[in-house]
Amino acid sequence: DAGVIQSPRHEVTEMGQEVTLRCKPISGHNSLFWYRQTMMRGLELLIYFNNNVPIDDSGMPEDRFSAKMPNASFSTLKIQPSEPRDSAVYFCASSLSSEAYNEQFFGPGTRLTVL
Amino acid sequence: DAKTTQPPSMDCAEGRAANLPCNHSTISGNEYVYWYRQIHSQGPQYIIHGLKNNETNEMASLIITEDRKSSTLILPHATLRDTAVYYCIVRPPYDYGSSNTGKLIFGQGTTLQVKP
């Protein structure tokens, strides 16, 4: 299994531009999670999906952020418009389910720099 | 959610056992103890988890005290590649009626430096 796949691995963009991050979860996993990591705030959960349905988006910082999961094998996290403070590493993770006994497997992350 | 307390940093000699402590004195009876690690510039990596009993896998052992208020992650023979930030997380069970459920909430972790 290839594990969780994220693209792009690095993204540099200018303030005001739209950014789309992509994630392919492990096949057969029904839960998908988006995290953000910065030096100041550490690892934060932004949103997670069960069976393609958003369950908790309380971590999404503001309306500029949106996430979709159109099918079981693909999810996107979009920032529009982007701002310099959005610079961070964004991780996607998946698990068999959201039950506490199922571990989450993380992707390699997308390093986003907004100039 | 139960909070965890970990030392900010630890050193370990290569080849020796690394024992990483974690306090979680407010843990509830149905909350799991999870350990992840993050090697520089990589995504967090799952290590092990447990509820009440001690657990062992190919990576590590997890020792949970009888009162469940603390735990220790043991890497039996640390190598230089085990240098990483280690996170101890108390994870609530999934509650279909609550949005605050099943989450992994990462703290600051323990930076383990394995030295030759």
Side-chain angles (χ1 to χ4, degrees):
Chain A
D1 196 324
V4 175
I5 298 172
Q6 292 187 247
S7 64
R9 294 293 309 277
H10 301 274
E11 176 81 26
V12 180
T13 190
E14 293 187 344
M15 183 173 62
Q17 296 298 305
E18 177 180 297
V19 175
T20 299
L21 311 181
R22 297 173 175 80
C23 175
K24 177 178 169 54
I26 293 172
S27 177
H29 282 191
N30 297 315
S31 297
L32 183 140
F33 307 79
W34 282 101
Y35 292 83
R36 177 174 68 175
Q37 186 171 34
T38 62
M39 287 293 293
M40 290 289 291
R41 300 174 66 89
L43 261 166
E44 304 173 279
L45 176 66
L46 300 178
I47 185 172
Y48 77 93
F49 296 81
N50 276 352
N51 298 312
N52 312 337
V53 176
I55 300 300
D56 183 358
D57 65 355
S58 59
M60 296 285 262
E62 47 196 277
D63 292 344
R64 297 185 296 106
F65 286 68
S66 62
K68 294 183 179 179
M69 192 164 185
N71 56 63
S73 60
F74 183 66
S75 177
T76 60
L77 178 67
K78 185 177 293 186
I79 308 173
Q80 167 63 18
S82 58
E83 297 182 2
R85 60 189 167 132
D86 302 329
S87 297
V89 181
Y90 291 81
F91 291 103
C92 176
S94 72
S95 66
L96 282 171
S97 76
S98 292
E99 297 290 350
Y101 48 77
N102 288 139
E103 60 268 37
Q104 295 179 19
F105 296 90
F106 284 74
T110 295
R111 182 174 296 276
L112 173 66
T113 303
V114 183
L115 303 175
Chain B
D1 296 338
K3 297 291 190 291
T4 62
T5 303
Q6 299 178 254
S9 64
M10 291 182 62
D11 289 343
C12 178
E14 188 178 18
R16 304 297 292 269
N19 296 280
L20 292 92
C22 180
N23 287 323
H24 32 78
S25 58
T26 60
I27 192 170
S28 298
N30 56 2
E31 291 180 319
Y32 284 77
V33 178
Y34 268 79
W35 284 84
Y36 277 78
R37 73 180 183 184
Q38 189 172 23
I39 297 170
H40 182 62
S41 297
Q42 297 182 21
Q45 178 188 23
Y46 166 79
I47 301 174
I48 199 167
H49 73 282
L51 183 61
K52 295 180 180 178
N53 300 320
N54 298 336
E55 302 287 345
T56 296
N57 62 22
E58 64 279 3
M59 287 183 69
S61 294
L62 173 60
I63 307 299
I64 303 175
T65 58
E66 192 170 341
D67 63 8
R68 304 211 325 126
K69 292 185 177 182
S70 65
S71 60
T72 301
L73 177 74
I74 302 172
L75 307 178
H77 304 287
T79 71
L80 298 178
R81 288 177 294 181
D82 292 321
T83 292
V85 179
Y86 287 77
Y87 297 98
C88 170
I89 303 166
V90 170
R91 188 179 184 192
Y94 192 79
D95 178 355
Y96 289 88
S98 170
S99 62
N100 184 32
T101 182
K103 293 181 178 181
L104 284 173
I105 299 176
F106 289 80
Q108 296 304 308
T110 296
T111 299
L112 175 67
Q113 181 72 48
V114 181
K115 298 185 174 181

